[in-house]
Amino acid sequence: MTAEMAISVRGLTKRFGPRTVVDRFDMDVPRGAIYGFLGPNGSGKTTTIRMMCGLLTPDGGSGTCLGHDILTQSQQIKEQVGYMTQRFSLYEDLTIRENLDFIARMFRMKDRKARVDAALADLGLADRAGQLAGTLSGGWKQRLSLASCMLHDPQLLLLDEPTAGVDPKARRDFWDEIRRLAARGVTVLVSTHYMDEAVQCDFIAYIAYGKKLISGPARDIPGMIGLTTWQVEGPDIGALEAALRQTPGVEQVARFGAVLHVSGTDAAALARVAAEQSALGTHQWHEQKGGLEEAFIYLMAGASDNFSEGE
Amino acid sequence: MAFSFARFGAVLFKEFVQMRRDRVTFAMMIGIPIMQLFLFGFAINSDPKHLPTLVEMADQGPVTRAVLMGMQTSDYFDFQGVVTSAEEGDRALRNGSANFVVVIPPGFERDVMRGLAPDLLLSADASDPSAAGAAVAALSGIVSGAISQSLTGAVAAKVPTPPPFSVTVHKQFNPEGRTATNIVPGLLGVILSMTMVMITAVAIVRETEKGTMEALIATPVRPLEVMLGKITPYILVGYVQTIVFLLAARVVFDVPFIGAPLALFVGFNLYIVVNLALGFLVSTVARSQMQAMQLAFFTILPSILLSGFMFPFAGMPGWAQTLGTGIPATHFLRITRKVMLKGAGLADIGGDLLAIGIITLVIVAVALKRYRQTLD
């Protein structure tokens, strides 16, 4: 199995003091996949990523990254992994070229100058190479970070919330770039809390409060949760929303503009509610295929906050 | 995998580029030592003179006048006026308008003539002992000298020679008792420690605080490569500071340098290393640049207070001396004073070098243990 898996970890656990930040985490990332790592802020995504690339020693569990043991072979893992941190982590007081050149030296690359030049040309920053990195805009900083992670041609790219605080256009461009890299055979593990980015991934793992709630191919996730969703349209939708929240059988009501998505795991119960409501004739009810969005809202609401225990 | 000189060189080069861009810090590294040298060198004087003095004269005559004249010409005492009562003198001492009140008792001259050794009272404001000490110590010599000079001829023969014995003080190494001669070599230790510890700590913590350390350790770079690469540029800064300092000591303060230059060279290299290691240790504890500054400052205070720079080492209680022995500045201070003022060579400072060496090993061991390659 391991040969096809870029990352394969079992039972990863990390404690900071009394808090268990990551709790018995299992994950398999197939080679060449775009793997979305979802969860709210502070759910342990960054800690998990750091453990998987050998930056952080887990308190429990084991696993491999690109065939190397994450406990003992972090040096080999580092040579083959590109890790893009959540914060801009290049030197703001160095120029763009100096930053790339420094990273190239850290990986002891041959023909360093040619590769830095190529990266600058790819970025379209060749004529601004002498500019200080700190003077770049947010979108450019993020592109430069990605370029510096890719400089040594890693087989695995770990991106920790790469698009946080970046404008929508830059986000779209960034995802185009990620798909291009994946098409070249690079495995990409990307953490995010944007639903619209999750949709772009081949696989998804959802983590909340240190525990993995679900993982699998993106299109299977709604089915795995077993959520039935009805779409409701009509006048005075706000009053209906409030009423439905009190109705047995309805587990979740999410509003998308003038439309309500009413969901529940008990399909029969929900169908009865829909039938009763449709009979009134004020609103139109349509059953629809459950999407990722409803699935994640459902997961979020169900996850217990185990960080608050014992505090 | 072994140490990579290529990566070490890359970190080193990057550090120089950053140092060059950070003009304010760079100016501080050179400017602060010079400023401190001039401040300390010119301002601190542990042998103060011209202290304001009042006199209460219950007796007037040639001997009394000779005593007062002797005190005035000694430069320690500066007579500001006459008081007529003990209360007036006490008031002046209390409100600080005078440091001393000299009381000449009634019949002073007559008693001197008769050889009765009358009391001459010197009331001193000893709330600052070091300000009063030197003048008090000088007083009896001044007075006896003045009396013997003022008595001539037949009178002189009748008076017993005042002191049955005499003390000869031989001031070695610093015959004029100039404070600058003592302060300036010691100051080198304090300034090197101040800038080295602080700048190293801040330079490293800055990487953690700005998030660049996280990306740095995600690369294959080894801890030792980062540590040496970041520290080496500051060794050169330490060299520049030392050279500027020694030049100023020579040209401005006329401090002698009579020992072996090689001994000082070895000593300050070791001292720079220990301070950089200390800065590195601070950086592994501090979470922000602010904390690093505060911690670094905290390590500097003992270097000033317990090393023998400000106060005589031998005068401290045993436990304080033990603490002081663990401070690198204590040993470097001895090295500079021995070499510059007493003409010591390498052999004479062996013990001090060994002490700094041991301290260095301990600090480096702790620092490397704390700086792990992982983030936890």
Side-chain angles (χ1 to χ4, degrees), chain B residues 45-49 51 74 76-77 100 122 128-140 142 171:
Chain B
N45 187 356
S46 60
D47 188 20
K49 298 198 170 163
L51 300 166
S74 76
Y76 281 112
F77 304 95
F100 298 105
L122 180 75
D128 181 354
S130 65
V136 171
L139 184 68
S140 84
I142 295 168
K171 287 187 175 177

Side-chain angles (χ1 to χ4, degrees), chain B residues 138-150:
Chain B
L139 184 68
S140 84
I142 295 168
V143 173
S144 62
I147 291 175
S148 60
Q149 276 171 25
S150 69

Side-chain angles (χ1 to χ4, degrees), chain B residues 332-375:
Chain B
F332 184 64
L333 203 72
R334 292 177 188 166
I335 292 176
T336 48
R337 284 181 183 162
K338 279 183 194 169
V339 173
M340 290 176 72
L341 307 181
K342 305 188 199 171
L346 253 187
D348 302 305
I349 60 167
D352 302 307
L353 291 178
L354 182 69
I356 300 183
I358 292 171
I359 298 172
T360 310
L361 285 182
V362 172
I363 294 177
V364 167
V366 178
L368 270 183
K369 195 171 154 51
R370 284 200 57 92
Y371 174 81
R372 279 158 303 181
Q373 205 161 10
T374 48
L375 280 171

